[in-house]
Amino acid sequence: MTWTQVIPAEWYLILGTALFGIGLIGVLIRRNVVIVLMSIELMLNAINLILVSSSAYHANLSAQVFVFFIMMVAAVEVSVGLAIFTVIYRRKESTDIDALNELKG
Amino acid sequence: MTSFLILAFPLFGFLLLNVFGCFFSKRVSGFLASASVLASFAVSVLMLRDVFLAGAIRVPLFTWFQVGQTNVSFALLLDSLSLLMCLMITGVGFLIHVYSIGYMHEEEGFTRYFSHLNLFIFFMLFLVLSDSFLGMFVGWEGVGLCSYLLIGFWFQTAAFGQAAKKAFLMNRVGDLGFILGILAMIMAFGSTQFSVVFSGASQLPIGSGIITVIALLLFVGATGKSAQIPLFTWLPDAMAGPTPVSALIHAATMVTAGVYMVARSHVFYMSSPIASTVVLCVGVSTALLGAIIATRQSDIKKILAYSTMSQLGLMVSALGLGAYSAALFHMLTHAFFKALLFLAAGSVIHALHGEQNVFKMGGLRKSLPFTFGVFLIGALALAGFPPFSGFFSKDMILLAALDHSPLVFGLLVLVSILTAYYVCRLVVLVFMGTSRSDKTAHESSWIMQIPLGILAIFAAASGFLHLPEALHPEFIVVTLLAIGLMIAWCYRRFSQVQTSDEKTGIVFRKFYIDEIYNGLIVRPILLLARFFWTIFEPVILELPATILGKSVMFSGRRLKQIQNGHIGFYLLVMTAAIAVILVQLLWI
């Protein structure tokens, strides 16, 4: 009996969904852009968790390859995003998301 | 291929004057234009022998276009008819070009005038030389265009521009008939080439419907171009152009295009009695109407214009009678004497510095003896005084009418009497009596006199080109007596006239035909146009489009407010949208 069978598969899905929901709510309600970025990371990792667990559950490794891609993209995204926020902070003297209100017609 | 040069010279002259005209002096451009027409005349004379030997020469030039089974090639057809026209056009045209050098020498647009004149000669030759109705139509439209350009030569005067437009539009009405005739011809015979069409037509039984339709439609075109009832009112107004233009286009050549066209397609008219009758009726009534109106006009050019209309009516009557050679003969002599009359009238107008009212002339025989002489020759030829040219050609037409019916003969005799009357009235008013003008007249320069002299010789003598087989001495005596009495009576009546007393009356007002056309056709069309302009377009066409456009713009303005720039809001909308899509995908 392996560990995947000790912990039922639903628990992984519930945990992943909960983490995704926390990340989503963080994205939607937090004002600080750094926190928003962290919330996005949380959402990505929630997805990763679900993918990895279901990969183990189905004994299918292709989902794990997908997870590596997501991790890599997340790393890139964080570095680029932080760089952008640094520039924005220099211009706006603020990390409040409502300061970024110029994208309108 | 030398026949091609007949067309090439005037076209070359037109291009040269149009492109490089600004570099030429007036003398050079007038000389070039006249020389190109003279060259064309020379080539036509050279072609006489070939045509005489061969009968008819067809010179294929190129295939114009091909649609399905219909192959339209452009070719020249030289036979006695087209060569006669060519000689007339280039010969009279050359003389009028030379005359114009003197007449127009003070004008601003001298080069423009001559380039248009050359273009006109080119299109007129194109009209008579092409060997298909489609090619003829090209020339037909071309001369209409040149007529428009030259009537409106003094376009700075609004009325002259209006006259040009009127001529153009009335011709368009006739051209519509011509186009429909050509289409009917293509449907019936699959071609517009003369030889194909006529051999096809001669195989159909006499009086067959399609032939009648084609003949009548073509005749609608001819009424437009040759100023017949009902499309004649443009011709008197066309006198707004320079007088040599009136002589060339509106007396000698272009207006005879309709006569040429009917004569060319006589196969149709011979096999359609209905169409021939229509042609005869239109011709006789036009001849009568023109002659009646001409008796009461006071403008020298208008008198000649109505006379032209009347004489064209005479030619068309001859066509309707089936006397094609008589019609063409009268066309030729008419080209000479009417061009002569117009040019001599131009000489009078020139001498009096633009005065055209005959009641302000008078007594000019002393100050303008040469002009008086040539005008008298032209007038006698027009009146049909033997042995001048008009006598012989009218004689032929009247004899043909006598063979046909006494009624037509009587009407045409009446036309001839009226013609003699208005001609005598014109001559007496202009040249006899005492001067009613305060201007001193002076004889025009030699460059205007030479063409007048040459035309006078032809007007006097061209009747002998085609003598009838048997001269009728009683005809000659009766005509001599009638015209002699007319001259005497007119002299008594008009030589001492002091002022115009003929400003009223239905005839002076030209039977109110312009007014009737205005009321019946022009005004309803203008009203219709106003309806479309003020009601149909803004309400029926534009309103739905406006409503659509306004509603799109309104909703755009409302929707724009969603895009408020807050990233948090965008994210919320995005998330909601994704949620909706997920729900839709998973559960619905």
Side-chain angles (χ1 to χ4, degrees), chain B residues 395-468:
Chain B
D395 190 43
M396 274 176 83
I397 295 176
L398 288 176
L399 282 177
L402 191 58
D403 286 344
H404 188 267
S405 84
L407 174 66
V408 176
F409 177 74
L411 287 173
L412 291 186
V413 166
L414 180 61
V415 169
S416 303
I417 292 170
L418 285 170
T419 307
Y421 168 72
Y422 67 69
V423 168
C424 295
R425 171 177 176 270
L426 178 61
V427 172
V428 171
L429 278 175
V430 174
F431 291 103
M432 300 298 175
T434 51
S435 175
R436 292 179 295 273
S437 169
D438 46 359
K439 295 161 188 151
T440 49
H442 59 90
E443 193 67 272
S444 42
S445 61
W446 59 269
I447 202 157
M448 287 161 73
Q449 289 187 353
I450 290 174
L452 285 173
I454 298 172
L455 277 173
I457 294 168
F458 276 103
S462 61
F464 295 104
L465 289 173
H466 186 90
L467 280 177

Side-chain angles (χ1 to χ4, degrees), chain A:
Chain A
M1 188 177 258
T2 59
W3 58 275
T4 46
Q5 289 154 329
V6 173
I7 306 172
E10 296 86 23
W11 290 19
Y12 292 100
L13 293 181
I14 290 167
L15 177 61
T17 313
L19 283 175
F20 187 87
I22 292 167
L24 183 63
I25 291 167
V27 166
L28 290 181
I29 67 172
R30 295 305 296 254
R31 315 290 295 271
N32 190 321
V33 285
V34 181
I35 306 289
V36 170
L37 198 63
M38 287 164 63
S39 305
I40 291 171
E41 288 304 310
L42 196 59
M43 286 162 74
L44 286 169
N45 284 313
I47 299 293
N48 280 351
L49 180 63
I50 292 171
L51 282 171
V52 169
S53 59
S54 40
S55 160
Y57 185 76
H58 292 292
N60 184 346
L61 289 180
S62 57
Q64 300 195 11
V65 177
F66 203 55
V67 168
F68 280 117
F69 277 106
I70 293 176
M71 285 163 75
M72 190 189 70
V73 169
V76 172
E77 178 237 313
V78 166
S79 60
V80 173
L82 284 175
I84 292 173
F85 290 146
T86 311
V87 176
I88 288 173
Y89 184 74
R90 277 191 201 145
R91 284 175 61 89
K92 299 264 179 187
E93 297 282 321
S94 161
T95 55
D96 194 331
I97 201 165
D98 285 339
L100 309 176
N101 61 352
E102 288 167 17
L103 194 64
K104 61 181 172 187

Side-chain angles (χ1 to χ4, degrees), chain B residues 443-504:
Chain B
E443 193 67 272
S444 42
S445 61
W446 59 269
I447 202 157
M448 287 161 73
Q449 289 187 353
I450 290 174
L452 285 173
I454 298 172
L455 277 173
I457 294 168
F458 276 103
S462 61
F464 295 104
L465 289 173
H466 186 90
L467 280 177
E469 297 86 36
L471 277 171
H472 299 267
E474 67 274 18
F475 250 66
I476 299 178
V477 172
V478 169
T479 321
L480 270 174
L481 270 177
I483 297 176
L485 281 174
M486 193 65 85
I487 292 171
W489 188 74
C490 283
Y491 189 79
R492 249 177 62 81
R493 167 79 178 74
F494 291 110
S495 62
Q496 297 308 320
V497 164
Q498 281 311 312
T499 49
S500 165
D501 50 350
E502 304 183 3
K503 282 284 178 198
T504 51

Side-chain angles (χ1 to χ4, degrees), chain B residues 172-253:
Chain B
R172 234 14 13 77
V173 177
D175 293 343
L176 183 66
F178 196 175
I179 293 179
L180 292 176
I182 290 175
L183 289 178
M185 206 181 292
I186 292 174
M187 274 163 56
F189 307 114
S191 172
T192 64
Q193 197 181 318
F194 292 148
S195 51
V196 179
V197 171
F198 295 147
S199 66
S202 54
Q203 279 159 13
L204 290 173
I206 284 188
S208 71
I210 183 75
I211 298 278
T212 307
V213 168
I214 292 174
L216 286 175
L217 286 173
L218 290 183
F219 186 61
V220 171
T223 55
K225 207 49 110 196
S226 289
Q228 300 297 298
I229 292 172
L231 299 176
F232 66 90
T233 54
W234 65 270
L235 185 62
D237 289 20
M239 296 301 128
T243 310
V245 170
S246 312
L248 176 63
I249 300 183
H250 307 117
T253 52

Side-chain angles (χ1 to χ4, degrees), chain B residues 85 88 124 225-226 249 251-261 312 315 331 334-335:
Chain B
M85 294 293 290
M88 187 182 96
M124 194 67 209
K225 207 49 110 196
S226 289
I249 300 183
T253 52
M254 185 189 85
V255 288
T256 59
V259 179
Y260 165 77
M261 188 247 270
L312 287 166
M315 294 173 215
M331 181 179 84
H334 177 259

Side-chain angles (χ1 to χ4, degrees), chain B residues 42-365:
Chain B
V43 178
S44 313
V45 173
L46 288 179
M47 295 306 293
L48 264 179
R49 192 176 139 273
D50 292 357
V51 171
F52 187 68
L53 290 178
I57 307 170
R58 187 170 180 275
V59 188
L61 289 181
F62 53 88
T63 302
W64 186 9
F65 60 82
Q66 197 166 9
V67 182
Q69 297 296 311
T70 313
N71 185 6
V72 179
S73 63
F74 182 65
L76 302 181
L77 178 70
L78 284 112
D79 57 5
S80 47
L81 176 56
S82 60
L83 207 62
L84 170 80
M85 294 293 290
C86 276
L87 287 169
M88 187 182 96
I89 294 159
T90 51
V92 177
F94 169 67
L95 294 174
I96 292 172
H97 272 70
V98 173
Y99 178 91
S100 300
I101 296 175
Y103 190 83
M104 303 292 287
H105 72 278
E106 285 168 352
E107 294 299 330
E108 277 290 316
F110 191 81
T111 313
R112 172 165 62 95
Y113 172 82
F114 273 101
S115 73
H116 290 165
L117 222 51
N118 263 3
L119 184 67
F120 170 77
I121 297 277
F122 165 72
F123 274 124
M124 194 67 209
L125 292 171
F126 199 105
L127 193 160
V128 297
L129 281 176
S130 66
D131 88 321
S132 68
F133 279 99
L134 217 51
M136 192 198 267
F137 186 72
V138 174
W140 191 270
E141 292 297 306
V143 292
L145 169 72
C146 295
S147 161
Y148 166 76
L149 291 173
L150 286 165
I151 294 169
F153 179 73
W154 289 305
F155 55 85
Q156 295 89 343
T157 309
F160 293 180
Q162 294 287 348
K165 269 193 276 180
K166 184 174 177 183
F168 198 70
L169 289 175
M170 288 214 110
N171 271 305
R172 234 14 13 77
V173 177
D175 293 343
L176 183 66
F178 196 175
I179 293 179
L180 292 176
I182 290 175
L183 289 178
M185 206 181 292
I186 292 174
M187 274 163 56
F189 307 114
S191 172
T192 64
Q193 197 181 318
F194 292 148
S195 51
V196 179
V197 171
F198 295 147
S199 66
S202 54
Q203 279 159 13
L204 290 173
I206 284 188
S208 71
I210 183 75
I211 298 278
T212 307
V213 168
I214 292 174
L216 286 175
L217 286 173
L218 290 183
F219 186 61
V220 171
T223 55
K225 207 49 110 196
S226 289
Q228 300 297 298
I229 292 172
L231 299 176
F232 66 90
T233 54
W234 65 270
L235 185 62
D237 289 20
M239 296 301 128
T243 310
V245 170
S246 312
L248 176 63
I249 300 183
H250 307 117
T253 52
M254 185 189 85
V255 288
T256 59
V259 179
Y260 165 77
M261 188 247 270
V262 175
R264 174 62 87 188
S265 43
H266 62 272
V267 176
F268 293 145
Y269 294 92
M270 286 206 290
S271 50
S272 166
I274 301 173
S276 281
T277 313
V278 171
V279 171
L280 179 64
C281 292
V282 169
V284 171
S285 37
T286 308
L288 204 55
L289 184 70
I292 292 171
I293 297 178
T295 57
R296 280 282 182 277
Q297 295 301 303
S298 58
D299 183 322
I300 183 168
K301 288 180 74 179
K302 288 265 164 81
I303 297 175
L304 291 176
Y306 280 109
S307 157
T308 304
M309 177 186 145
S310 165
Q311 298 300 308
L312 287 166
L314 211 58
M315 294 173 215
V316 172
S317 322
L319 294 171
L321 292 165
Y324 298 101
S325 59
L328 292 171
F329 185 40
H330 192 57
M331 181 179 84
L332 183 70
T333 59
H334 177 259
F336 290 129
F337 64 68
K338 193 50 74 61
L340 171 65
L341 282 172
F342 264 113
L343 293 186
S347 189
V348 170
I349 296 167
H350 204 65
L352 295 176
H353 310 284
E355 182 56 64
Q356 298 196 2
N357 189 341
V358 290
F359 289 101
K360 294 185 179 160
M361 297 177 181
L364 290 174
R365 72 180 181 286

